[in-house]
Structure formats: C-alpha cells, structure tokens
Amino acid sequence: MSVIPIKTHRELIDSRKPGCGLPGELFGRQDVFENDFDVFFNKLWILVGVTADVPEPGDVSTVDIGKSSIMIVRDDDENIRAYRNLCRHRGSRIMKQPGKATVGRLVCPYHQWTYDLDGSLLHASHMGKDFDPSCRSLIPVHTKVVGTHIFVCLADEPPADIAKLEEVMAPRFAPYELQRTKIAYEFEVVENGNWKLVMENNRECYHCEGTHPELTNSFLPEDFGFCPDGLGEEALAAYDTYVARNAANKDNWEKDGYICSVFESLDESVYTNFRTQRLVIAGANESQTMSTKVASTKLLGTITRRDLGDVHMWGHNAWTHVMSDHAVIAFILPIAPDKTLVRTKWLVHEDAVEGVDYDLKTLTEVWVATTQQDAELVQNTHSGTQDPGYIPGPFSQYTEAALDQFTRWYSARLKEQGI
Ligand code: 3BY
Ligand code: FES
Ligand code: FE
C-alpha cells in the first residue's frame, strides 16, 4: 500500500495556484495553526481592545491570546499599560479569568505578591532580607494606542512599522476624539472556522449583496470592487451615479479637512498590514444603521456634521468603522484551527445616554446581524475546505483582489520565519 507523504506548511502554500485560494489543509491542520499563531499573533502587532475597556485608573481588562494571557491596565497617571498575566513568584495567573475588573493593586491570589499598577512588586512576605523585589516586576507587553485602539505585540522586538499605522490613522481618528467614548455594547461570537477564512471573508464585499441585507442598506459593496462586464445599461448607469456621488462627497469632505484618501500597507514587505479609506454611506450618508441616519444624536468628539461617511481600518486581526456618531471595532483571536473568537465593541460619546441620545437596538442591529451572517458563511466555508473533494477556486480580480494580496502577505511573513 502506498502512503501519500504529508506536505509541509511551505509545500502547501507553494501549491496554491496563482490567483486561487489556499488549499484546505492550511485551514484545518493543527501544525499549521500553531505556526500561524506564532507568526501572526505572537510576533506581530495585534488589536486586543479599546481604551474604554479600562476607563478609570485601576481598571484591568484581561485578554487571552492563545496560551498567553495579558492584563491591560489603566495606571494612576491614566496611562494604558499591558503586562503578562503571570506572577513573578511561581507563575500563577494574577487575574483568574478573561474579562474586566477594578483593582487598587494587582494581587496574586496564590501567595499574595502585590504589584503596583506600574508593574513594580510592592510586597512579598516571607522572602527574607536578601530578596530584591526590583527584579520581580510584572513583565511588560509592548503597547501602542492609536485613536482608541489598543495594539499589543508579544515579541521582544516588535515590528517598527506600527509607526506608519499611527502616522496614517491618528490624524484620521483625531476629530472623533475616540478616547472620549464609552462602550455601549459588546458582542462576542466563536466562529467555527479558521482565522484566515474569517479575515478573508472580511476583506471582500462580493458576498455582501447576497448575504447582508442589513449592512447593504448603508454599505456600498462597490467600494470593494466592481466588474462592469456583462451588465445592462441600467446597472452601468447606477454605477456611474455611484462614482459621481463618491467624487462629490470626497471633495466636500476634503474641503472641511476630513481625510478621505485610500492608504494601503498590504504588500509582502510590511509587517503591520493595514488599509484605510473614508467610505461613502448609502442614503443619508450618516451611519451604518437601518435608516442610514445617526444612531446617536450626540456626535463623537468635535464633530458637528453627521454626514461624514465611514472611516474604516483593516488590520490582519481587526476591522473598524468610525462614523460621526459611533464606532464599531471588531477583532479576532484564534482559538483552534476551526475556532475563532470575534469580539465587537460599539463606542458612543462618553456622555451619550442610552434611551435619550441613542437606542441600543438601532445602534447595534446592523453589525450584530452582519456578524452572525458572517459566522455562518465562515462555518460553511471552513467545512467545505475540509472536504476531501475541495479544489480551491479563483478569486475575482475585481472584488477579491485583497484576498490574493492577503495570501501573498501570509506566505511572505511565514517564509521570513523559515516556514
Ligand atoms: O468590515 C468590513 O469592512 C468588510 C469589508 C467589506 C465587507 N466587510 C463587511
Ligand atoms: Fe503568585 Fe506565589 S505564585 S504569589
Ligand atoms: Fe460579511
């Protein structure tokens, strides 16, 4: 009996036909998952939260990233810091489970070693006079806050090109004063699919028209590519109207100083993979709601006009939409080859009052529905890619070019690590 040799991770990547999807084993295999986790979640910058997770000094948000657990802390000087959730004594978790808490000090539940919010060890009993607490501070995690987004990097030497993301995004987010927001709602779903399928799904809107009735009320799939071939006159005229409307909006925004241009840092040489653009919203052009009008009448930051469209930002583990009245920020954390946690947070002005300035259902219904629909799409696709009969098909060069780009970036980042 002949035995088919098992392909390596690299052989599987290199077996991809140009312009087509990845072979199914890259979504299902445990060894591939572990390599992926190490390269894309342990070595690169990832989005893990927002400043409103820890609004006050002493607030702690604990996030599990694979086997690592981190504590995001607001210190007494209001700075955001992150530490490994690891006691420097015998390694107990300091915060026992993921989630949020408020503390005066960080106290290990095992032998009560007590740490200041700045990470220094303040108290450890029974350790004798030769014990030097200054060598036992909590292990810091590299942290970068851009707008309200909290990025961390678990590597010793984090990629320097997060500076580009900060340079491009900080002025785009500035008028919204995203640090003066509160979390109106959080939603978590474990999608039954590989993290790459979750991100691929997010990088195209080919599927939007057929699967996201709520989102396409306000979202324009054309923003993510359009193929004119084979369309009737009516559809072509509608596309021309869309192009003209976009151009008019962009001139109008730029005149008021709102940055609109596309910026992409997606090619094989970059570590911090991201894209941004100010997108036009359908209808009233205000917000991703069923009516396309604002969900919160208390606008963000110093904003006075409602029709600012949607500043979107993709990263390799996240997507964000910032509108005049609210922001939707989502990120993923892989759990297993076929399980990916997706966390979504809706931010409104810190003084906005539910029931007065906004209605929670109006605010959240579009992205709750969209996320549930996407979870089903990802589950179906993951399942299909694990079928022995699966043969990866071609990406649309019009609406799925970003997937090909993502796949090439994925390959390059692994190659650099010898995979
Ligand atoms: O959240 C997003 O931006 C992506 C991009 C296109 C479709 N999708 C909903
Ligand atoms: Fe934390 Fe002992 S393990 S105090
Ligand atoms: Fe979708």
Side-chain angles (χ1 to χ4, degrees), residues 19-57:
C20 290
L22 292 166
E25 282 174 75
L26 288 177
F27 302 120
R29 250 167 57 177
Q30 182 66 26
D31 61 321
V32 168
F33 177 75
E34 283 168 20
N35 286 343
D36 279 7
F37 205 97
D38 197 42
V39 173
F40 298 96
F41 291 83
N42 288 341
K43 291 195 166 62
L44 301 183
W45 288 96
I46 51 173
L47 181 63
V48 292
V50 294
T51 53
D53 284 324
V54 285
E56 301 289 338

Side-chain angles (χ1 to χ4, degrees), residues 113-143:
W113 281 28
T114 301
Y115 302 87
D116 195 13
L117 300 177
D118 71 6
S120 54
L121 178 59
L122 293 174
H123 178 72
S125 58
H126 303 292
M127 296 306 290
K129 61 179 178 352
D130 294 336
F131 174 72
D132 180 3
S134 68
C135 307
R136 298 284 155 197
S137 298
L138 292 174
I139 303 167
V141 172
H142 297 286
T143 308

